Amino acid sequence: MARARFVALALLITSFLLSVVAGQLRPLPSAGLPGDLLDLGIASRLRTDTNTTAKASTDFGQMAKASPEAVLHPRTPADIAALIRFSSSSPAPFPVAPRGQGHSWRGQSLAPGGVVVDMRSMGRAAGHRRINVSAAGAEPPYVDAGGEQLWIDVLRATLQHGLAPRVWTDYLRLTVGGTLSNAGIGGQAFRHGPQIANVQELDVVTGTGEMVTCSRDKNSDLFFAALGGLGQFGVITRARIRLEPAPKRVRWVRLAYTDVAMFTKDQEFLISSQVGEEVGFNYVEGQVQLNRSFVEGPKSTPFFSTLDMNRLARLASRTESPAIYYIEAAMYYNEDTTISVDQSLQKMDALLGQLSFHPGFVFTKDVTFVQFLDRVREEERVLRSAGMWEVPHPWLNLFVPRSRILDFDTGVFKGLLRDANPAGIILMYPMNKDRWDNRMTTMIPTGDDDVFYAVSFLWSALSVDDVEQLEKANESVMDLCAKADIEFKQYLPHHTSQDGWKQHFGAKWGKIAELKAKYDPQAILSPGQKIFTSRTEAIGIATA
């Protein structure tokens, strides 16, 4: 009997050790997931080891933590569909969240107690990038890119054909599916709209595990829901993105202002129809640098030299301005002939002659197209070397109507933050509302203004105290807007209650709930958003 028990125990231990050794092939069941999950064909691509789940337990923002029970490394979209279909039909559905680079900031890519889908695994499993450019005969030309693909890789692939997407986020180490689930904004959006306005077709795995191809004309409700949909209605596994001829070089300029009224007037002129596409800038953004940062902040940046920073500091001191405002603009050109280069210079000079920046405070660089689009990569290297990249990021991103942007400046930059010097940058630039499609899920201000501003507080918290202080500063900004009746919408939104989400979506809320009930009836997708916390909630709202 003792020998039999010994043999049985040995077999059990051997089985356990084999399952651990073979854990990369067949993981152990998780207490929080149905045991028959391991009977699926995707079982060998599930990981439950602590190292893997720990990496999927937080994101770039480091403002939220939640551990999944497992991480799926899919080879194909069908693997994702199988996982979601299993959860959706299970007596105990579990959360599923896609994760590209994990560059979200409030836990949007987390799946507490469920499964995180490592989207980047699809590109690695394919043995080649899932990027296919259709240049010959396509009008307009387009690229089909897997949702897991990085925008920098899409750029490299399309440039081989002399083409490129029309709109870019400032940082290119983000996935296609990730930015399209939000909107994807940048300095080209004033002309072409956000990235979601330049998508022709999507492949989406819905919350029921159905694989659907959709466009403006086919399954259009899912198409418009998924674009800017915060991952609530499905996982984007492929996007067809419009392309245009790519330039070779860029004239990149920053112009300094101390008068916010002149700064915003010039920005709005540059994005207006008064400036034709043939003579205008291809990219327009703006930044705000608080006065105190000239004394306590870095003495140089990847764009500004120490000499430049000293000049700007003296300008801020001389004018007693609480901030320096920069228009950042870029003009694309080709270097094929001397004539084309000269024409580029002439167009730039003509535009600058119509603006009201401080005389002598124009800073210009001439770079390649790739260097310009990938410019944040250099800033990333600087921040990593200073230990300021992998830290908490209590960001706040707002869309503010043009008619209230000066009030916003008075209350925030001349009031709340006048004597502040938080680590990070502040972006402030306008976009044309008519370049946005209201059928998409992303929310923008609903008033009569035809222009609204993106104002982004991209903070880095270097200590626990910084996190608390910056969170309070963000709350103060939103409270000020509420008290001053400044309508705003959050971009990359975060709300802690469903009432907050109802206010965010406004008149669209009923439609959002209806689409959720249709495409994710068990409310299992991207629970980190905290929009719908249960199946009953989603169905009840949709049928109310």
PDB file of all heavy atoms in Angstrom, residues 241-254:
ATOM      1  N   ILE A 241      -6.212  51.571 -44.629  1.00  0.00           N
ATOM      2  CA  ILE A 241      -5.939  52.981 -44.365  1.00  0.00           C
ATOM      3  C   ILE A 241      -5.542  53.684 -45.658  1.00  0.00           C
ATOM      4  O   ILE A 241      -4.705  53.193 -46.424  1.00  0.00           O
ATOM      5  CB  ILE A 241      -4.801  53.107 -43.325  1.00  0.00           C
ATOM      6  CG1 ILE A 241      -5.190  52.382 -42.030  1.00  0.00           C
ATOM      7  CG2 ILE A 241      -4.473  54.569 -43.049  1.00  0.00           C
ATOM      8  CD1 ILE A 241      -4.011  51.943 -41.201  1.00  0.00           C
ATOM      9  N   ARG A 242      -6.120  54.825 -45.885  1.00  0.00           N
ATOM     10  CA  ARG A 242      -5.855  55.601 -47.087  1.00  0.00           C
ATOM     11  C   ARG A 242      -4.420  56.137 -47.084  1.00  0.00           C
ATOM     12  O   ARG A 242      -3.898  56.553 -46.051  1.00  0.00           O
ATOM     13  CB  ARG A 242      -6.837  56.760 -47.189  1.00  0.00           C
ATOM     14  CG  ARG A 242      -6.681  57.605 -48.448  1.00  0.00           C
ATOM     15  CD  ARG A 242      -7.754  58.671 -48.531  1.00  0.00           C
ATOM     16  NE  ARG A 242      -7.548  59.528 -49.680  1.00  0.00           N
ATOM     17  CZ  ARG A 242      -8.377  60.508 -50.046  1.00  0.00           C
ATOM     18  NH1 ARG A 242      -9.473  60.727 -49.331  1.00  0.00           N
ATOM     19  NH2 ARG A 242      -8.118  61.250 -51.103  1.00  0.00           N
ATOM     20  N   LEU A 243      -3.810  56.166 -48.264  1.00  0.00           N
ATOM     21  CA  LEU A 243      -2.440  56.654 -48.428  1.00  0.00           C
ATOM     22  C   LEU A 243      -2.400  57.840 -49.391  1.00  0.00           C
ATOM     23  O   LEU A 243      -3.339  58.062 -50.171  1.00  0.00           O
ATOM     24  CB  LEU A 243      -1.527  55.546 -48.963  1.00  0.00           C
ATOM     25  CG  LEU A 243      -1.444  54.248 -48.148  1.00  0.00           C
ATOM     26  CD1 LEU A 243      -0.562  53.239 -48.873  1.00  0.00           C
ATOM     27  CD2 LEU A 243      -0.920  54.511 -46.746  1.00  0.00           C
ATOM     28  N   GLU A 244      -1.307  58.561 -49.356  1.00  0.00           N
ATOM     29  CA  GLU A 244      -1.038  59.643 -50.295  1.00  0.00           C
ATOM     30  C   GLU A 244       0.450  59.636 -50.624  1.00  0.00           C
ATOM     31  O   GLU A 244       1.245  59.000 -49.914  1.00  0.00           O
ATOM     32  CB  GLU A 244      -1.440  60.990 -49.702  1.00  0.00           C
ATOM     33  CG  GLU A 244      -0.597  61.428 -48.519  1.00  0.00           C
ATOM     34  CD  GLU A 244      -0.995  62.799 -47.979  1.00  0.00           C
ATOM     35  OE1 GLU A 244      -1.967  63.377 -48.486  1.00  0.00           O
ATOM     36  OE2 GLU A 244      -0.312  63.299 -47.053  1.00  0.00           O
ATOM     37  N   PRO A 245       0.868  60.324 -51.703  1.00  0.00           N
ATOM     38  CA  PRO A 245       2.297  60.390 -52.013  1.00  0.00           C
ATOM     39  C   PRO A 245       3.088  60.954 -50.842  1.00  0.00           C
ATOM     40  O   PRO A 245       2.672  61.924 -50.201  1.00  0.00           O
ATOM     41  CB  PRO A 245       2.347  61.319 -53.231  1.00  0.00           C
ATOM     42  CG  PRO A 245       1.011  61.159 -53.875  1.00  0.00           C
ATOM     43  CD  PRO A 245       0.040  60.981 -52.739  1.00  0.00           C
ATOM     44  N   ALA A 246       4.220  60.339 -50.542  1.00  0.00           N
ATOM     45  CA  ALA A 246       5.038  60.764 -49.396  1.00  0.00           C
ATOM     46  C   ALA A 246       6.103  61.753 -49.845  1.00  0.00           C
ATOM     47  O   ALA A 246       6.742  61.554 -50.879  1.00  0.00           O
ATOM     48  CB  ALA A 246       5.698  59.550 -48.755  1.00  0.00           C
ATOM     49  N   PRO A 247       6.316  62.814 -49.084  1.00  0.00           N
ATOM     50  CA  PRO A 247       7.407  63.737 -49.389  1.00  0.00           C
ATOM     51  C   PRO A 247       8.738  63.160 -48.942  1.00  0.00           C
ATOM     52  O   PRO A 247       8.789  62.135 -48.256  1.00  0.00           O
ATOM     53  CB  PRO A 247       7.046  64.972 -48.572  1.00  0.00           C
ATOM     54  CG  PRO A 247       6.364  64.403 -47.362  1.00  0.00           C
ATOM     55  CD  PRO A 247       5.586  63.206 -47.868  1.00  0.00           C
ATOM     56  N   LYS A 248       9.796  63.824 -49.331  1.00  0.00           N
ATOM     57  CA  LYS A 248      11.135  63.387 -48.921  1.00  0.00           C
ATOM     58  C   LYS A 248      11.622  64.141 -47.681  1.00  0.00           C
ATOM     59  O   LYS A 248      12.263  63.570 -46.819  1.00  0.00           O
ATOM     60  CB  LYS A 248      12.135  63.604 -50.065  1.00  0.00           C
ATOM     61  CG  LYS A 248      11.876  62.762 -51.315  1.00  0.00           C
ATOM     62  CD  LYS A 248      12.136  61.306 -51.062  1.00  0.00           C
ATOM     63  CE  LYS A 248      12.245  60.514 -52.358  1.00  0.00           C
ATOM     64  NZ  LYS A 248      11.103  60.666 -53.263  1.00  0.00           N
ATOM     65  N   ARG A 249      11.291  65.438 -47.616  1.00  0.00           N
ATOM     66  CA  ARG A 249      11.859  66.259 -46.551  1.00  0.00           C
ATOM     67  C   ARG A 249      10.799  67.166 -45.928  1.00  0.00           C
ATOM     68  O   ARG A 249       9.695  67.330 -46.474  1.00  0.00           O
ATOM     69  CB  ARG A 249      13.031  67.098 -47.064  1.00  0.00           C
ATOM     70  CG  ARG A 249      14.189  66.259 -47.603  1.00  0.00           C
ATOM     71  CD  ARG A 249      15.454  67.085 -47.760  1.00  0.00           C
ATOM     72  NE  ARG A 249      15.981  67.547 -46.473  1.00  0.00           N
ATOM     73  CZ  ARG A 249      16.745  66.817 -45.670  1.00  0.00           C
ATOM     74  NH1 ARG A 249      17.079  65.577 -45.990  1.00  0.00           N
ATOM     75  NH2 ARG A 249      17.182  67.327 -44.528  1.00  0.00           N
ATOM     76  N   VAL A 250      11.167  67.760 -44.794  1.00  0.00           N
ATOM     77  CA  VAL A 250      10.242  68.601 -44.033  1.00  0.00           C
ATOM     78  C   VAL A 250      10.983  69.830 -43.512  1.00  0.00           C
ATOM     79  O   VAL A 250      12.085  69.705 -42.957  1.00  0.00           O
ATOM     80  CB  VAL A 250       9.652  67.821 -42.838  1.00  0.00           C
ATOM     81  CG1 VAL A 250       8.805  68.732 -41.962  1.00  0.00           C
ATOM     82  CG2 VAL A 250       8.833  66.634 -43.313  1.00  0.00           C
ATOM     83  N   ARG A 251      10.375  70.993 -43.703  1.00  0.00           N
ATOM     84  CA  ARG A 251      10.845  72.203 -43.022  1.00  0.00           C
ATOM     85  C   ARG A 251       9.996  72.354 -41.765  1.00  0.00           C
ATOM     86  O   ARG A 251       8.786  72.536 -41.826  1.00  0.00           O
ATOM     87  CB  ARG A 251      10.704  73.425 -43.927  1.00  0.00           C
ATOM     88  CG  ARG A 251      11.583  73.342 -45.153  1.00  0.00           C
ATOM     89  CD  ARG A 251      11.746  74.679 -45.851  1.00  0.00           C
ATOM     90  NE  ARG A 251      12.528  74.502 -47.055  1.00  0.00           N
ATOM     91  CZ  ARG A 251      13.864  74.401 -47.085  1.00  0.00           C
ATOM     92  NH1 ARG A 251      14.539  74.486 -45.954  1.00  0.00           N
ATOM     93  NH2 ARG A 251      14.503  74.231 -48.229  1.00  0.00           N
ATOM     94  N   TRP A 252      10.659  72.270 -40.645  1.00  0.00           N
ATOM     95  CA  TRP A 252      10.027  72.171 -39.329  1.00  0.00           C
ATOM     96  C   TRP A 252      10.330  73.455 -38.575  1.00  0.00           C
ATOM     97  O   TRP A 252      11.495  73.840 -38.418  1.00  0.00           O
ATOM     98  CB  TRP A 252      10.611  70.943 -38.648  1.00  0.00           C
ATOM     99  CG  TRP A 252      10.151  70.603 -37.275  1.00  0.00           C
ATOM    100  CD1 TRP A 252       9.077  71.081 -36.598  1.00  0.00           C
ATOM    101  CD2 TRP A 252      10.779  69.640 -36.410  1.00  0.00           C
ATOM    102  NE1 TRP A 252       8.987  70.488 -35.368  1.00  0.00           N
ATOM    103  CE2 TRP A 252      10.008  69.601 -35.230  1.00  0.00           C
ATOM    104  CE3 TRP A 252      11.897  68.810 -36.535  1.00  0.00           C
ATOM    105  CZ2 TRP A 252      10.354  68.767 -34.162  1.00  0.00           C
ATOM    106  CZ3 TRP A 252      12.225  67.984 -35.477  1.00  0.00           C
ATOM    107  CH2 TRP A 252      11.457  67.964 -34.308  1.00  0.00           C
ATOM    108  N   VAL A 253       9.287  74.121 -38.094  1.00  0.00           N
ATOM    109  CA  VAL A 253       9.473  75.441 -37.501  1.00  0.00           C
ATOM    110  C   VAL A 253       8.715  75.552 -36.187  1.00  0.00           C
ATOM    111  O   VAL A 253       7.643  74.958 -36.012  1.00  0.00           O
ATOM    112  CB  VAL A 253       9.003  76.550 -38.488  1.00  0.00           C
ATOM    113  CG1 VAL A 253       7.524  76.394 -38.820  1.00  0.00           C
ATOM    114  CG2 VAL A 253       9.274  77.933 -37.948  1.00  0.00           C
ATOM    115  N   ARG A 254       9.293  76.285 -35.251  1.00  0.00           N
ATOM    116  CA  ARG A 254       8.602  76.676 -34.027  1.00  0.00           C
ATOM    117  C   ARG A 254       8.687  78.194 -33.892  1.00  0.00           C
ATOM    118  O   ARG A 254       9.758  78.781 -34.077  1.00  0.00           O
ATOM    119  CB  ARG A 254       9.199  75.991 -32.795  1.00  0.00           C
ATOM    120  CG  ARG A 254       8.878  74.507 -32.716  1.00  0.00           C
ATOM    121  CD  ARG A 254       9.324  73.885 -31.414  1.00  0.00           C
ATOM    122  NE  ARG A 254       9.060  72.447 -31.407  1.00  0.00           N
ATOM    123  CZ  ARG A 254       9.392  71.632 -30.421  1.00  0.00           C
ATOM    124  NH1 ARG A 254       9.999  72.115 -29.340  1.00  0.00           N
ATOM    125  NH2 ARG A 254       9.125  70.344 -30.488  1.00  0.00           N
TER     126      ARG A 254
END
